[in-house]
Every structure is written in C-alpha cells, then in structure tokens.
Amino acid sequence: MGDFESLFMEKILVIGAAGQLGSELTKSLTDLFGSESVIATDLQESARSKFDYCRFEVLDVMNKEALRNLVKNEKVSQIYHLAAVLSATGEKKPIFAWHLNMESLLFVLELANEFKLDKVYWPSSIAVFGPNTPKINTPQYCVKEPNTVYGISKQAGERWCEYYFQKFNVDVRSLRYPGLIGYKSLPGGGTTDYAVDIYHKAIAGTDFNCFLKSDTSLPMMYMPDAIKATMDLMNAPRESVKIRSSYNLAAMSFTPEEIYQSILPFFPDFKIAYNPDFRQAIADSWPDSIDDSFARKDWGWSPDYDLNAMTSDILKNLPDFFPSKN
Ligand code: SER
C-alpha cells in the first residue's frame, strides 16, 4: 500500500483538542487526514463550536471506560493526548495536576498497547528542567530536577513514554515544547502565557501588567513552528525517531522587555509594568535557551519564525480572530 492510501486508513483521536495546541493542531491533522478521520475531544460541550471541520465528542480523559470505548468502537489508530494542567495552574492545585497529567497518560499508553495503536503523541515541556540544569543552550541529556508539579509530571511522563516504547513497542513520540505563542486561543494557565496575553492587551489598548521581571529570558516558539515540528515528528519514519522520551525543541528566546519592544513600533503608546509574582520562581527554574540539535539531526527540524516575524504576524491576524478585543 502506498503512503497516500495508508493516510486515509488512520483514525486520529485528539484529547484536549480545544486547548492552545489542540485548537491549531487538530486543523492541521484534518487537512492531512480528512475530516472523517479526525475526532476532536474535549471536556466541555461548548468546545464543539470550534470544530465544524471534523468530528467532535465530549470526553473526560479521566473516564477510562469512556476513553477505552471510544478507542475501541471507532477503531482509533493514533492518539494525540494534549490534555494537561499547565505550570501556574498546577502550583495552585498540585495533587489534582499530578493526578490528571499522570493518570491520563498512563490510560493512553495502556490503550495504545492493548489496541496496538500505530502511534501516540504526547507533549512534554521545558518544565522538565530545573534550577540545577545548565541554563544556556540546555542539552538534551543533563540534570533535570524540576520543582513544579507540572514539570515533575512531564519528567515522569517522559520516562513512562520511553518505558512503553522499550517494553511494549508502543510508537510514542514527544517534544519538549518551549513556551508556545498563538493568537487562536487565550492564555491557558502557563508561566510563558504572558507572551500570549501581551498581544491581546496591546490590541485592546490597555496597559500590560507583566508577572515576570523585565529581563527574564525564556525559550519560546510561534505556534505555526510548533505545529510544523509536531507534524514532522509524527510523519517521520519510525527509525528516524531515536529519542523516545522527548526531544528538545527550540526556535527563539526573549525577555518580556524584548517582546514589548517588538510590539512598540505598531503601538507606540503601549505601556508595560513589571510586577513579578509566584510565576517568577517558576520561570527562574527554567532554561534561557535550548540546544535542539538532536531534533535537527534525526528528523530535520528547523524553525521559521523569530520574534519580529511572530509579532507582525500575530498583530495582523489577532484582531480578526478575537474581534471583540478591538
Ligand atoms: N508553557 C508551559 C507553561 O508555561 C510550559 O510548557 O506552563
């Protein structure tokens, strides 16, 4: 069977499809596999309106029986498991975050093994790194002592992914995303989400109150690059995917002051104030920049967007996407 025919036999289940990543990745998956082949799922019925281009089902990933039935009845062949509690929200509800992030991954890995799924995608994060990690050009392999519940759950999750690959041959693939910045969904409880919110404030004409210090550098990525990386990793030949925990991935690094300066030429009256809160400690524990040479070497990764290209694209497109903010 040719690659073209095999594409149309896939049945893709996206869990957490209405989140920051899912809102955009689900569309790219539908463009590739066709609207009948993609089932978007999320916790709330209200998310249905986002998915007029593919199927949609309400699903609580913690309901293992409902998840199993969906996988079985729909003959699902790939799962993209994107549901998670992010770093800042996780610090407010640590036990809940651990429970949701870990158990849902184990459900998915178990089902992947039981039903011999073709592939599983699960996102990891720069949050796996911690205060004792080298901060500049953080290597793929180094000390990881995450001190957020989100980071601990991602680190443990990476070990489980590799375990299921080695013990059960589950073809699970993963990326350690930097902070992801897109204009198609609102901030979702992450420490890096200030860099989403700042564009909404600039366009709305309100001052921006930044919860990080002006010079806090973090690794970041514009959403089209994150989607490209995810699709490229998932479409890479199995033997090219040599890392089965999770790949380092990078595009750019910037500080709050630098993103503010990139917006100023478009909105010269835009004002920023810095009032760091508990999220500063989270940001301080993460790398400034990431070495992603394994992703570049194994499956040809390279990003398209830098800070200025991202800013002009977002400021051009965001007002149409959230017209009420005008
Ligand atoms: N963007 C995430 C967060 O800030 C990190 O993966 O929680």
Side-chain angles (χ1 to χ4, degrees), residues 99-292:
H99 192 60
L100 182 111
N101 291 1
M102 284 325 304
E103 285 184 23
S104 63
L105 173 62
L106 287 172
F107 290 166
V108 167
L109 291 172
E110 267 299 283
L111 291 173
N113 187 28
E114 180 183 350
F115 292 102
K116 300 295 168 219
L117 301 191
D118 283 355
K119 287 174 204 168
V120 172
Y121 181 74
W122 176 79
S124 186
S125 159
I126 52 165
V128 296
F129 301 113
N132 299 320
T133 298
K135 270 193 165 322
I136 312 290
N137 284 330
T138 299
Q140 175 73 35
Y141 300 106
C142 58
V143 172
K144 291 180 207 63
E145 294 175 340
N147 59 9
T148 62
V149 174
Y150 176 67
I152 298 169
S153 73
K154 289 294 181 190
Q155 187 193 37
E158 286 190 7
R159 304 319 307 148
W160 278 113
C161 287
E162 190 171 305
Y163 185 88
Y164 269 76
F165 173 73
Q166 284 176 351
K167 302 281 172 180
F168 306 118
N169 210 20
V170 171
D171 187 351
V172 52
R173 305 178 182 200
S174 176
L175 297 168
R176 287 177 187 148
Y177 291 122
L180 298 184
I181 303 159
Y183 62 84
K184 294 187 181 169
S185 55
L186 294 168
T191 303
T192 57
D193 280 346
Y194 86 84
V196 177
D197 198 23
I198 192 169
Y199 291 111
H200 288 269
K201 294 295 188 298
I203 287 169
T206 42
D207 296 354
F208 181 59
N209 185 21
C210 186
F211 57 71
L212 296 181
K213 289 194 254 176
S214 63
D215 60 352
T216 308
S217 177
L218 285 169
M220 299 281 193
M221 180 175 284
Y222 189 29
M223 194 61 86
D225 272 336
I227 302 300
K228 181 176 83 159
T230 311
M231 300 293 283
D232 286 355
L233 173 70
M234 291 304 278
N235 291 325
R238 189 183 166 103
E239 58 282 3
S240 304
V241 183
K242 296 186 170 55
I243 292 176
R244 295 299 182 150
S245 50
S246 191
Y247 276 95
N248 275 12
L249 190 72
M252 58 180 115
S253 291
F254 58 78
T255 65
E257 183 63 22
E258 285 165 343
I259 191 174
Y260 170 69
Q261 290 296 336
S262 81
I263 295 170
L264 264 190
F266 299 88
F267 295 96
D269 297 331
F270 185 41
K271 303 258 180 320
I272 189 166
Y274 296 101
N275 290 297
D277 66 12
F278 73 100
R279 289 167 281 195
Q280 183 66 46
I282 300 177
D284 287 344
S285 77
W286 289 350
D288 290 7
S289 59
I290 299 286
D291 173 1
D292 61 358

Side-chain angles (χ1 to χ4, degrees), residues 39-53:
I39 309 174
T41 67
D42 213 281
L43 208 46
Q44 307 290 346
E45 174 60 35
S46 56
R48 184 181 295 278
S49 59
K50 282 187 154 188
F51 301 100
D52 56 358
Y53 56 81

